[in-house]
Amino acid sequence: MDYLSVNQQGWDRRVQTHVTSDFYDVAGFLKGNSSLQEIELAHLNVVGKSLLHLQCHFGLDTLSWARLGADVTGVDLSPAAITQARKLADQADLKAEFICSDIYSVPETVKAEFELVFTSYGAIVWLPDLDKWAQVIANKLVAGGQFYMVEFHPAQAIFEGYSYFHQDAPDVEDEVTYTENASDDTNTFMSWSHSLSDVINALIKAGLEINSFDEFAFSPYNCFEGLTEETVAVELPLATEQRKRYFIEQKGQRLPLTYAISATKKA
Ligand SMILES: C[S@@+](CC[C@H](N)C(=O)[O-])C[C@H]1O[C@@H](n2cnc3c(N)ncnc32)[C@H](O)[C@@H]1O
């Protein structure tokens, strides 16, 4: 089975459901809301920077960075997602370039180099080889450019029955999607676990210098089973905002649910 065709078809079929979901809240975005979460908002200043968003889905986060002053390019495997991203850019009257491409082909399909490369929440599990992924990031950054990623924590996935450590053979599953408006229809997906050391070592091997590594006991998304919700006041660069955080406890202790890495391409 060719994982790219399988996953492309699965993501293509999810797009329309996602665009009409409360989870993604496209109507709110078109009224001016940002889809970005507190972790990345607190860390990144994108004003005036060229930004490449890898695995951008249908472009909500990419376009939210554009609203904050970045010159954005989004890349995704799914033609349906890219079509929707372009439509959304027109609707929101935001300048953005969206390119349909497998991430490993980005050195050929995306011509420019960028000051910032960004990827987030639920991206790297779709990739079989993190060394290749990190080389793509290094290839697309200007010297001195910054890579920032925020992802779901692989320790949490253990409790859902996934391996913590990488295995060559993918997990092949028929899944319903994660938005609240999902039907019972399933699509097949192929995914891979990546331990934290695999992520960090891939970036180091590609020539990036790690500047920070953070782990969080919460997910900003309500997308796992057994989550409890808290609303907290968070100081963000532009304002203090009420933000929802979702937690999971095991034997009375909170699990790590997300992590973030900031790295620089050596000049
Ligand atoms: C969970 S979504 C991205 C999450 C993003 N934070 C969001 O919710 O908007 C994962 C995306 O990765 C894309 N994708 C999966 N495999 C890919 C690949 N090999 N190359 C490029 N994009 C890929 C999918 O099409 C999908 O849009």
Side-chain angles (χ1 to χ4, degrees), residues 4 11 24 55 57 76-77 101-103 120-122 126-127:
L4 280 178
W11 282 104
Y24 280 103
Q55 299 179 250
H57 201 28
D76 200 277
L77 176 69
S101 172
D102 165 31
I103 199 166
S120 71
Y121 308 105
W126 310 111
L127 309 179

Side-chain angles (χ1 to χ4, degrees), residues 10-220:
W11 282 104
D12 275 345
R13 289 188 176 153
R14 281 180 167 181
V15 169
Q16 204 44 43
T17 307
H18 288 189
V19 169
T20 52
S21 68
D22 293 341
F23 184 95
Y24 280 103
D25 188 21
V26 169
F29 169 79
L30 290 171
K31 282 188 205 140
N33 295 345
S34 172
S35 64
L36 296 164
Q37 304 299 335
E38 57 170 291
I39 297 172
E40 59 269 23
L41 282 171
H43 200 96
L44 284 180
N45 177 358
V46 301
V47 178
K49 294 200 176 141
S50 56
L51 182 154
L52 175 65
H53 183 185
L54 297 174
Q55 299 179 250
C56 66
H57 201 28
F58 64 94
L60 265 190
D61 286 0
T62 327
L63 293 168
S64 293
W65 287 126
R67 273 205 184 123
L68 288 175
D71 179 6
V72 297
T73 300
V75 173
D76 200 277
L77 176 69
S78 155
I82 291 297
T83 300
Q84 186 57 48
R86 289 177 183 146
K87 189 171 156 195
L88 206 53
D90 283 348
Q91 286 174 304
D93 199 18
L94 289 164
K95 184 176 152 288
E97 186 170 2
F98 287 104
I99 296 168
C100 189
S101 172
D102 165 31
I103 199 166
Y104 296 142
S105 302
V106 159
E108 293 84 55
T109 54
V110 179
K111 296 288 167 252
E113 289 182 346
F114 298 83
E115 291 161 295
L116 256 171
V117 174
F118 171 75
T119 195
S120 71
Y121 308 105
I124 62 172
V125 291
W126 310 111
L127 309 179
D129 184 337
L130 283 195
D131 288 346
K132 258 170 100 176
W133 164 80
Q135 282 157 16
V136 170
I137 293 160
N139 177 278
K140 283 293 113 189
L141 278 174
V142 297
Q146 183 186 8
F147 170 62
Y148 188 76
M149 69 179 290
V150 50
E151 259 296 358
F152 295 118
H153 201 294
Q156 182 274 337
I158 299 169
F159 294 91
E160 297 198 343
Y162 296 97
S163 169
Y164 177 78
F165 295 103
H166 181 76
Q167 295 170 335
D168 287 340
D171 290 305
V172 183
E173 289 172 291
D174 293 331
E175 294 178 19
V176 295
T177 195
Y178 47 85
T179 52
E180 80 297 334
N181 58 342
S183 69
D184 292 335
D185 295 345
T186 59
N187 290 298
T188 306
F189 287 95
M190 296 168 79
S191 66
W192 290 264
S193 302
H194 300 293
S195 64
L196 293 178
S197 55
D198 280 353
V199 177
I200 290 169
N201 285 330
L203 294 169
I204 293 170
K205 270 194 259 173
L208 298 179
E209 197 168 280
I210 310 277
N211 307 122
S212 63
F213 168 58
D214 297 297
E215 297 174 279
F216 304 91
F218 67 89
S219 163

